[in-house]
Amino acid sequence: MKPRSLIAAATATVLVATGLAVTGGTAVAHGSGYSALIQRASYGVPHITARDFASLGYGVGYAQAEDNVCLIAESVVTVGAQRSRFFGADTDNVASDLFHQKAIDDRAAERWLVGRRDGLRAPSNEVRDQMRGFAAGYNAYLRTGKVNDPACAGRPWLRPITELDLWRTQWTAMVRAGSAALADGIVAAAPPRADGTSAPVSAPQAAAVVAARDGAPAGVGSNAYGLGRAATTSGAGMLLANPHFPWDGADRFYRMRLKVPGRYDVEGAALIGDPLIEIGHNGKVAWSHTVSTARRFVWHRLTLVPGDPTSYRYDGRTRKMTARTVTVRTPDGPVSRTLYDTHLGPVVVVPGRFDWTTDTAYAITDVNATNNRALDGWLAMGRARSVGELRSVLDRRQFLPWVNVIAADRHGRALYADHSVVPRVTDALAAACIPASFQSLYATSGQAVLDGSRSSCELGRDRDAAVPGILGPANLPTLVRDDYVTNSNDSYWLANPARPLVGYPRIIGDERTARSLRTRLGVHQVRQRLAGTDGLPGRGFTAGRLWDVTLGNRAYGGELVRDDLVRLCEAQPTATASDGTTVELTAACVALRRWDLRVDLGSRGSHLFTEFARAGGLRFADPFDPAAPLTTPNRLAVDDPRVRTALADAVQLLGGIPLDARLGDIQTEPRGAERIPIHGGWPEAGVFNMIINQVQPGVGYPKVRHGTSYLMAVELGRDGPSGRQLLTYSQSANPNSQWYADQTRLYSAKGWDTIKFTQKQLRADPNLVTYRVGERRR
């Protein structure tokens, strides 16, 4: 398929500059100014080249602002603790503002910048240059007066940004799976009243974190394959990147290619507002990330001083909590809250689980709160020339906040590693310092509640760790293979089932436990492709076959149980729903029998199975067997009445929507007045190509919430990288942009854009537009 775009086939040179001399049609910066070449390829993807990192950041900031200025601006409002002021003083906005104002008062971002600029103790000059350049490029775009996105054009919160604004967004991104996830519990924390009773509080987000099976941030996930020489037809390494992120808001990805000649050259994607590629490839190595199961924080149970609930005992001595009044602006006037800190971290309340009583309170240590290493880490990843070098980057820098790495190189080696930032809770520390009443919580979820009264129960330091308080590389799971590695958000255990990873601290993840249906399907797809038993021609992977497998849209749960479910349905064509209503199932039986077991646009009845699975109907009669983790459990529990109840609930929920409707007719994504059909489905049904949305009774699924976002299938051949890539929701969130819907239509058709890493590949693009941006640095 040839790349298509809404823009006319043309190549042009445009000068967008302030204070630049123009010589022979080329913009040249005076002195120490900024100058970047932007080559916009099909679908608006910028290829940005600059002589130094400051100018590279300038080009990135300018290009991202052209496409998504409102998303960046809103992120700056958030980290500036101004959501209530501009977007309304609802509970969530007030809690967000109080949390971020506390970080501002604490100078959290500023403290990141203090220290030796080696990328470990403090950000390097290269990264600082990029951040400074990004802010300058963003602001230069604002000065053009071309903002036409109705989300922010003319709004008072659209303003120039500073480097500090960007560092604050980075800090928030790092703590997403830690203190930010517990923000409402931090804001709600208050000592008991004088009579000993607790003030009524609510912290639903923190409660969800405590209830979660693992430490993954809410609303994100991913699939990834790293394929080695034994898995590809060419013998070169190959990578699938398939992150599952929100389709709206600041957590969207942005495709770009960035180059400082001789120093950095990477193609891929980054989250909007970030100046560096986070998922992508250079000429020799490709990598992706999946969300790790590891926990990013630990609890400390504090023993309080009798009669003084804001003081605690520590090594036999009394320590006073730090109380700080935080104030934020709202349309209704200022809101103030007193928040509490300990030397171990902020006090957090989760009602019913971690309460603040007269005897006990709980504080957390978030090990990412001091993780100022990430941008330098991604910069170093982009310079790696092999899987071995990439592993050395991970070992030395230990910067990944809450993700795994899956990678491959041109030599045909594949890597899996959960070298993320994980609190140093070894087996020995867990045994000695987690009270008996919390041992089961640790065993089931990896949440460590340590005795906060003893210094011996602090996190300490591994000898090989980059910084204190985190597990060193020797305590983290790593696997290098010639065949394949894979991850779909379960733990490290079965990155390759031929070599299970075992013996790691529980805080990282679980072992010898049931895998999700998505994980199981992900491994089956690789094995079947290598054996040639998946219905596609040949054996082994090419980039095209990898694309076809990823978008094959199999519903593995249906493959396992659909036939048994239909027999049960036909034998008992009525069932009682959860609300006691008797539901007729005849039409459901017919729809399920005719379903093609996929979630393609033309699949009929797939939505019925999805809602059946989401209602808890996928109950199995056989137990999980750790000796057969990819095939158990697999038999529907037909005698369990909850199976029929779930089917009745699904039919009832879908009232007004034909049970045999084509998925593409009811699952769509709006782009203006257009409704683009969307394939893919929920992981509860065992779908690899994950698309998450909510049913609207009588309508269907009118809006994607999150799921498959950036897709890349890249082969690292001798002639350079090649393959396919796509951004499902398109490059721009601006409805007035020509790049608002084009890739979304492409995804709907299972199409792709090509990798354009070499100049030959880029120049072959018929839609190439070239321009320079820059200014004299003030």
Side-chain angles (χ1 to χ4, degrees):
M1 178 180 294
K2 293 182 179 180
R4 292 187 179 356
S5 176
L6 296 176
I7 60 177
T11 300
T13 300
V14 181
L15 178 65
V16 184
T18 302
L20 289 174
V22 180
T23 305
T26 301
V28 180
H30 287 299
S32 58
Y34 302 105
S35 179
L37 176 71
I38 301 178
Q39 296 172 283
R40 287 270 189 178
S42 291
Y43 308 104
V45 178
H47 293 241
I48 303 172
T49 304
R51 67 185 181 202
D52 55 42
F53 284 98
S55 290
L56 185 67
Y58 187 96
V60 175
Y62 194 100
Q64 289 196 19
E66 286 184 296
D67 298 328
N68 294 292
V69 64
C70 297
L71 297 183
I72 300 170
E74 184 175 347
S75 292
V76 171
V77 169
T78 298
V79 301
Q82 295 181 317
R83 292 196 65 86
S84 301
R85 177 184 175 189
F86 292 115
F87 305 138
D90 61 35
T91 301
D92 290 343
N93 282 344
V94 171
S96 171
D97 286 348
L98 290 167
F99 174 77
H100 286 100
Q101 187 62 51
K102 180 180 184 296
I104 292 171
D105 294 346
D106 288 344
R107 299 179 58 83
E110 290 92 331
R111 285 189 281 116
W112 267 18
L113 303 177
V114 177
R116 182 178 175 185
R117 301 182 179 192
D118 58 2
L120 288 172
R121 298 168 184 83
S124 68
N125 286 329
E126 291 175 326
V127 163
R128 292 169 194 254
D129 285 347
Q130 278 197 287
M131 296 289 265
R132 183 178 68 254
F134 188 106
Y138 175 95
N139 293 336
Y141 175 72
L142 287 189
R143 291 196 298 272
T144 68
K146 294 180 180 179
V147 176
N148 66 349
D149 188 338
C152 67
R155 303 294 177 88
W157 49 272
L158 179 63
R159 62 165 177 82
I161 63 173
T162 68
E163 297 168 59
L164 184 56
D165 290 325
L166 297 175
W167 285 114
R168 286 173 177 163
T169 65
Q170 284 295 310
W171 182 86
T172 297
M174 293 301 102
V175 300
R176 178 173 181 168
S179 51
L182 297 165
D184 57 353
I186 293 172
V187 170
R193 300 185 181 101
D195 62 2
T197 61
S198 297
V201 298
S202 175
Q205 295 175 4
V209 171
V210 174
R213 173 177 172 249
D214 55 43
V220 295
S222 303
N223 302 315
Y225 292 152
L227 303 175
R229 65 175 71 98
T232 65
T233 59
S234 68
M238 192 175 295
L239 181 91
L240 168 69
N242 180 206
H244 303 147
F245 269 60
W247 278 37
D248 296 286
D251 287 330
R252 284 169 50 124
F253 281 100
Y254 184 82
R255 287 178 57 193
M256 53 188 182
R257 192 279 187 82
L258 307 181
K259 183 176 182 179
V260 176
R263 300 172 70 186
Y264 183 75
D265 191 0
V266 181
E267 179 182 22
L271 292 175
I272 290 171
D274 289 349
L276 281 167
I277 299 296
E278 288 150 344
I279 292 177
H281 65 89
N282 58 31
K284 298 180 179 180
V285 181
W287 67 91
S288 189
H289 299 302
T290 60
V291 178
S292 159
T293 58
R295 295 284 174 175
R296 308 301 157 185
F297 63 91
V298 294
W299 299 93
H300 302 275
R301 187 176 70 174
L302 306 175
T303 301
L304 302 182
V305 174
D308 184 2
T310 60
S311 295
Y312 58 101
R313 300 291 289 170
Y314 185 77
D315 281 347
R317 297 182 178 181
T318 296
R319 288 204 176 199
K320 190 71 177 174
M321 295 179 185
T322 300
R324 178 182 292 111
T325 298
V326 176
T327 302
V328 298
R329 290 178 61 185
T330 80
D332 302 322
V335 172
S336 297
R337 194 75 52 84
T338 300
L339 307 182
Y340 295 85
D341 279 296
T342 72
H343 78 287
L344 299 164
V347 180
V348 184
V349 167
V350 181
R353 298 299 300 272
F354 295 96
D355 293 300
W356 193 340
T357 70
T358 56
D359 301 318
T360 306
Y362 296 88
I364 64 159
T365 296
D366 182 346
V367 290
N368 272 311
T370 54
N371 179 13
N372 57 358
R373 306 177 299 281
L375 290 179
D376 276 289
W378 274 304
L379 181 64
M381 285 184 73
R383 292 164 160 168
R385 295 169 296 179
S386 67
V387 155
E389 287 190 13
L390 187 61
R391 182 175 178 180
S392 295
V393 169
L394 299 174
D395 285 352
R396 179 171 181 263
R397 296 184 177 273
Q398 291 197 267
F399 65 94
L400 293 171
W402 33 266
V403 291
N404 304 297
V405 174
I406 294 84
D409 64 22
R410 65 181 299 183
H411 306 295
R413 299 286 278 170
L415 165 74
Y416 164 85
D418 188 344
H419 270 35
S420 55
V421 177
V422 185
R424 185 188 168 276
V425 180
T426 62
D427 291 342
L429 186 71
C433 291
I434 298 178
S437 58
F438 289 106
Q439 285 287 347
S440 62
L441 178 67
Y442 183 64
T444 56
S445 72
Q447 292 184 77
V449 182
L450 304 175
D451 182 350
S453 68
R454 292 184 284 153
S455 59
S456 60
C457 290
E458 289 198 35
L459 294 176
R461 181 166 190 167
D462 279 354
R463 293 181 62 184
D464 60 342
V467 295
I470 65 174
L471 292 172
N475 275 320
L476 297 170
T478 304
L479 185 64
V480 177
R481 301 281 299 184
D482 290 336
D483 50 1
Y484 70 92
V485 293
T486 177
N487 185 264
S488 292
N489 303 131
D490 275 321
S491 76
Y492 54 83
W493 177 41
L494 296 182
N496 185 303
R499 174 76 183 282
L501 294 167
V502 295
Y504 294 93
R506 177 62 185 86
I507 196 169
I508 308 174
D510 52 3
E511 302 170 5
R512 299 177 63 81
T513 58
R515 305 289 94 174
S516 73
L517 294 179
R518 180 160 59 95
T519 289
R520 289 165 60 179
L521 176 60
V523 176
H524 288 318
Q525 288 178 157
V526 173
R527 288 180 161 183
Q528 290 164 1
R529 177 85 294 266
L530 298 186
T533 58
D534 58 0
L536 298 174
R539 298 184 180 186
F541 282 95
T542 63
R545 290 289 173 254
L546 183 54
W547 199 262
D548 293 341
V549 166
T550 303
L551 299 182
N553 286 332
R554 293 168 60 182
Y556 183 58
E559 294 177 14
L560 292 177
V561 309
R562 189 274 306 271
D563 292 347
D564 284 341
L565 180 60
V566 168
R567 283 190 286 269
L568 176 65
C569 181
E570 291 174 341
Q572 302 178 61
T574 63
T576 302
S578 296
D579 65 1
T581 303
T582 299
V583 177
E584 170 61 46
L585 300 179
T586 301
C589 304
V590 173
L592 288 170
R593 181 172 288 282
R594 293 177 178 175
W595 176 39
D596 64 3
L597 300 177
R598 295 183 184 266
V599 286
D600 283 324
L601 296 182
S603 297
R604 294 183 178 272
S606 64
H607 58 299
L608 174 59
F609 187 80
T610 292
E611 296 305 335
F612 161 75
R614 292 192 61 220
L618 270 180
R619 298 183 177 276
F620 294 99
D622 55 324
F624 167 70
D625 181 357
L630 298 176
T631 55
T632 62
N634 58 45
R635 290 187 293 106
L636 185 67
V638 294
D639 295 327
D640 188 332
R642 292 173 293 182
V643 172
R644 295 179 64 247
T645 296
L647 184 56
D649 287 345
V651 171
Q652 194 175 59
L653 178 65
L654 294 169
I657 303 171
L659 299 181
D660 63 348
R662 295 173 68 255
L663 183 61
D665 292 337
I666 61 172
Q667 181 168 277
T668 58
E669 172 68 10
R671 287 294 182 270
E674 182 182 7
R675 303 208 67 84
I676 300 174
I678 299 295
H679 51 85
W682 284 73
E684 284 84 346
V687 176
F688 191 71
N689 178 27
M690 194 171 90
I691 293 292
I692 301 297
N693 41 37
Q694 291 292 338
V695 66
Q696 183 176 326
V699 176
Y701 305 87
K703 180 73 187 78
V704 178
R705 291 170 51 196
H706 72 272
T708 290
S709 47
Y710 176 57
L711 266 173
M712 179 178 70
V714 59
E715 181 173 0
L716 298 159
R718 292 183 178 179
D719 297 328
S722 62
R724 305 174 178 184
Q725 55 184 332
L726 175 70
L727 195 62
T728 56
Y729 34 68
S730 301
Q731 193 79 347
S732 176
N734 179 2
N736 292 317
S737 170
Q738 59 189 322
W739 300 306
Y740 176 61
D742 50 356
Q743 290 185 76
T744 310
R745 298 188 194 103
L746 196 61
Y747 170 75
S748 178
K750 295 189 179 181
W752 62 86
D753 188 19
T754 56
I755 298 290
K756 297 180 179 70
F757 189 75
T758 67
Q759 277 300 304
K760 180 179 180 181
Q761 291 166 334
L762 183 60
R763 289 170 181 162
D765 190 320
N767 301 313
L768 195 63
V769 173
T770 300
Y771 55 104
R772 280 187 177 270
V773 296
E775 64 183 78
R776 183 182 292 112
R777 195 176 304 169
R778 292 175 175 82

